[in-house]
Amino acid sequence: MSAMDDYLATLRELEETGSAAIRTAADPDELERVRVEYLGRKARLTQLLRGIGELPHEQRRPAGAEANRVKRGLLELLEARAADLAAGVAAAAVEIDATLPGRERWRGARHPCTLVTDEICEIFKELGFLRARGPEAETTWYNFMALNTPLDHPAADEQDTFYLDRDIVLRTHTSPVQARVMEQWPPPVRVVVPGVVFRRDPFDASHAPAFEQLEGLAVDEGISFVDFKASIEYFVHRFFGADVVTRFRPSFFPFTEPSAEVDVSCTICHGTGCSACKGTGWIEIMGAGMVHPAVFDNVGYDSERYTGFAFGMGVGRIAMQRYRIPDIRLLYESDIRFLAQFARA
Ligand code: PHE
């Protein structure tokens, strides 16, 4: 083997092992060690280049060309690997880049009517009220007659009431649960009764044929109209705010005497008049009154001994006021973009 063959074989070996070492260098430090080993001042390739002068004259030029080719190749590889490693470092940094927007977590939400129902029940719980329930398919006895409402009363008319059968209706209010509770339990009682009720109403911005109500009933010896007003006012201040004014307007319900409609000063315009309160400054929140003695007689309570008050509010209307919802249909159309707004962190 000639000196030239030797020279070229060594170059090829350096090219192979050097390339492999560069390609597999795991980090910049290792790459630097590889560079010093193959291309440093004391590296064999460097020495081979220096030793070209010792080759026969006519072989110097091709040997030098080959040695330089190998050197350039290794330098190029080295640069490419350095860039790769740098990019790898950069990629790792991107993974913890705090400036990237986070992935939003799925968050559930409660329906606004549920939020309002729970909040109202909590306030009355502090006043000693239990939560009760009753059936949605109700007999005409509980829905009307027990509540001192004769079946020829306009409310019992088929135009207002969904009849499932001759004696069974979809309850038109939660008041029948008053009678059911009193029938089962001796006084004193304090209950709140959330639930869905049904009326043959058109489905428009302020009416729905099925909507939630929240009934309240308190019965004991010596409960007076003052207790009634104080309890309602306490609730209004707790729920709507201390600065909200309550107004009791005389009204009529067959199952309360005296009866009242309760208004609160509009929480949106504070009583000056706006579109939410139709310019009146007041929002009607419930029907209420002192329980009619005839109702006590119907459920077996001693109407000479016991008195009490009852109220029924429209939960949807209150939710609309609380969350400034302009159309009651939003509560019942299950548009998830609307409902998602009630998610709490
Ligand atoms: N049940 C009545 C209604 O639906 C509201 C009410 C409840 C009135 C209790 C008085 C007492 O309109």
Side-chain angles (χ1 to χ4, degrees), residues 82-93:
D84 280 356
L85 287 175
V89 170

Side-chain angles (χ1 to χ4, degrees), residues 147 172-176 178 197 199 211 213-217 228 252-256 258-261 284 286-291 309-314:
L147 298 172
T172 57
H173 49 182
T174 41
S175 301
Q178 287 186 36
V197 305
R199 287 182 198 173
F211 58 97
Q213 274 196 341
L214 198 141
E215 192 83 10
L217 172 72
F228 163 55
F252 173 79
F253 297 100
F255 37 94
T256 45
S259 302
E261 311 254 2
E284 187 192 314
M286 64 170 84
M290 301 302 290
V291 179
F309 61 84
F311 54 87
M313 43 190 142

Side-chain angles (χ1 to χ4, degrees), residues 87-242:
V89 170
V94 165
E95 275 171 46
I96 53 156
D97 182 355
T99 66
L100 273 180
R103 256 180 233 146
E104 210 179 324
R105 251 200 314 147
W106 276 83
R107 245 190 293 135
R110 288 199 188 172
H111 192 280
C113 286
T114 306
L115 290 172
V116 163
T117 296
D118 286 350
E119 201 177 325
I120 295 172
C121 288
E122 279 305 306
I123 293 170
F124 278 101
K125 185 174 140 193
E126 290 170 20
L127 298 177
F129 287 69
L130 308 172
R131 222 190 263 218
R133 289 275 180 174
E136 291 169 13
E138 188 55 284
T139 62
T140 49
W141 167 257
Y142 286 112
N143 197 79
F144 298 119
M145 281 113 88
L147 298 172
N148 198 36
T149 311
L151 280 182
D152 57 9
H153 188 276
D157 198 293
E158 279 190 48
Q159 297 218 318
D160 301 304
T161 305
F162 289 110
Y163 277 81
L164 297 181
D165 203 346
R166 206 170 60 89
D167 301 317
I168 313 269
V169 298
L170 288 177
R171 67 179 176 192
T172 57
H173 49 182
T174 41
S175 301
V177 188
Q178 287 186 36
R180 286 181 172 275
V181 167
M182 288 190 279
E183 222 175 41
Q184 282 193 60
W185 303 100
V189 296
R190 283 178 206 180
V191 289
V192 278
V193 187
V196 181
V197 305
F198 307 85
R199 287 182 198 173
R200 282 182 172 244
D201 274 337
F203 199 16
D204 64 28
S206 52
H207 297 87
F211 58 97
E212 10 261 294
Q213 274 196 341
L214 198 141
E215 192 83 10
L217 172 72
V219 182
D220 203 347
E221 281 181 75
I223 290 188
S224 69
F225 199 77
V226 173
D227 298 314
F228 163 55
K229 285 190 73 177
S231 302
I232 299 302
E233 267 179 18
Y234 175 81
F235 159 72
V236 166
H237 287 153
R238 284 292 308 279
F239 186 86
F240 291 103

